[in-house]
Amino acid sequence: MLRKLKLRPILSWILAIYLLGGVVLYFLQKKLIFHPEPLTADYAFKYDIPFEEMRIRINEKETLSAVLFKAASPKGMVIYFHGNARNISKYASKAQQCVNRGYNVLMMDYPTYGKSTGPLTETAIYANALHMYEVARKFFPPDSIIIYGRSLGTGVAAQLAAVRDCKRLVLEAPYYNMVDLATRMAPIYPYQYMLEYKFPTDEYLPKVTAPVVIMHGTDDHTIPLASAKKLEKLLKPGDKFIPVPGADHNNLDNYPQYGKALDIALQ
């Protein structure tokens, strides 16, 4: 009886800490997932690649900012959805890789990133992705459009490819879904009820009829390879899952296998 009485305050403290941690995670989830770097409306983009800045007015309060990187003789268009940090400026080297392989690259910023404005919601991101597809269709037919997502952008890319035709879906360092990713980092909370941002790549991938290429570093400490490997089970015959041995999340460019994977993805 005495032992039980001693345990009660300890258990109460443990429960209080657990609940407090859950509350903190719930209210900070946007800051934990997204790391935007806004730009002023008059900021001048500067790239070594020929490019055109695009500003799409969504409504009176919201603007979608995008950049079209141009290849000399483009054979198609890559719609590129970038990761969770900064803005388009960080990913110009990724655009260069696609341009070098003969593709124009259309890259947007999510709401609150760069010059894009509006609410940073999963629904708004998907809606903006559809606007990018509409822009791409003005230049090329679906069989010349590759939908490409990296890291956070893989869920966005998968959703778009699930509802629009394309030549290929490319996922670089993808996650199974945001609930799975959060669970792997701190497996003590019911994230399926807590997260406002689900990005359920696993639900979208089976609806994609286009060929799929997945590439992922084997030593990725940001999005574990195991999360992406769960997606491999959802692939169709002919789809490809390409591990990059030794690569982490942000150094894939340093590995020859990554270049070979890009050659396959952007053929």
Side-chain angles (χ1 to χ4, degrees):
M1 184 67 175
L2 183 60
R3 181 178 296 179
K4 289 183 179 179
L5 290 174
K6 289 181 177 180
L7 283 175
R8 283 180 181 174
I10 297 174
L11 293 174
S12 296
W13 273 107
I14 292 174
L15 179 60
I17 292 170
Y18 174 81
L19 293 174
L20 178 61
V23 170
V24 170
L25 285 174
Y26 177 80
F27 285 105
L28 291 183
Q29 61 181 278
K30 183 181 289 189
K31 290 184 178 295
L32 292 171
I33 296 172
F34 303 101
H35 302 284
E37 183 179 293
L39 299 172
T40 60
D42 60 353
Y43 177 86
F45 290 110
K46 295 179 181 179
Y47 303 109
D48 295 332
I49 318 167
F51 73 94
E52 175 186 348
E53 181 180 357
M54 294 185 173
R55 304 288 299 279
I56 300 172
R57 177 67 67 179
I58 304 300
N59 54 46
E60 292 183 357
K61 297 182 178 179
E62 300 174 27
T63 300
L64 172 58
S65 173
V67 173
L68 175 62
F69 298 94
K70 300 179 180 181
S73 299
K75 59 184 177 182
M77 178 83 79
V78 172
I79 308 176
Y80 191 101
F81 299 103
H82 63 64
N84 71 334
R86 294 180 56 188
N87 53 55
I88 292 171
S89 297
K90 178 183 177 181
Y91 299 93
S93 62
K94 296 294 184 181
Q96 183 71 70
Q97 293 168 342
C98 300
V99 168
N100 290 346
R101 290 169 172 81
Y103 283 92
N104 283 351
V105 180
L106 184 61
M107 191 182 297
M108 77 173 195
D109 265 330
Y110 311 122
T112 74
Y113 283 71
K115 300 182 185 182
S116 289
T117 62
L120 182 53
T121 66
E122 189 171 347
T123 300
I125 291 172
Y126 292 153
N128 287 354
L130 279 172
H131 283 297
M132 291 293 92
Y133 186 85
E134 292 168 1
V135 171
R137 283 290 286 112
K138 293 178 180 179
F139 296 91
F140 293 99
D143 61 4
S144 296
I145 295 174
I146 292 177
I147 298 175
Y148 193 125
R150 167 172 164 73
S151 191
L152 173 69
T154 55
V156 185
Q159 191 277 338
L160 180 60
V163 298
R164 293 293 184 270
D165 293 330
C166 62
K167 177 180 181 179
R168 189 173 297 109
L169 169 65
V170 182
L171 302 179
E172 179 182 324
Y175 45 85
Y176 190 70
N177 55 50
M178 201 59 69
V179 172
D180 176 77
L181 190 58
T183 301
R184 290 178 183 276
M185 294 179 178
I188 58 173
Y189 291 104
Y191 294 106
Q192 64 270 30
Y193 304 112
M194 295 170 59
L195 286 179
E196 296 179 13
Y197 304 92
K198 299 297 199 307
F199 294 106
T201 311
D202 61 306
E203 294 181 15
Y204 301 136
L205 201 55
K207 300 176 184 178
V208 177
T209 58
V212 179
V213 174
I214 294 178
M215 58 188 83
H216 205 112
T218 59
D219 291 351
D220 193 323
H221 293 88
T222 302
I223 299 177
L225 178 65
S227 188
K229 289 290 284 184
K230 291 175 69 174
L231 293 175
E232 186 176 14
K233 301 174 183 178
L234 304 177
L235 296 179
K236 309 179 298 297
D239 292 345
K240 295 178 173 61
F241 188 98
I242 306 173
V244 182
D248 201 342
H249 194 70
N250 292 314
N251 67 354
L252 287 159
D253 295 355
N254 299 336
Y255 293 81
Q257 184 61 37
Y258 176 65
K260 294 177 182 178
L262 283 178
D263 290 339
I264 293 171
L266 301 176
Q267 59 187 328

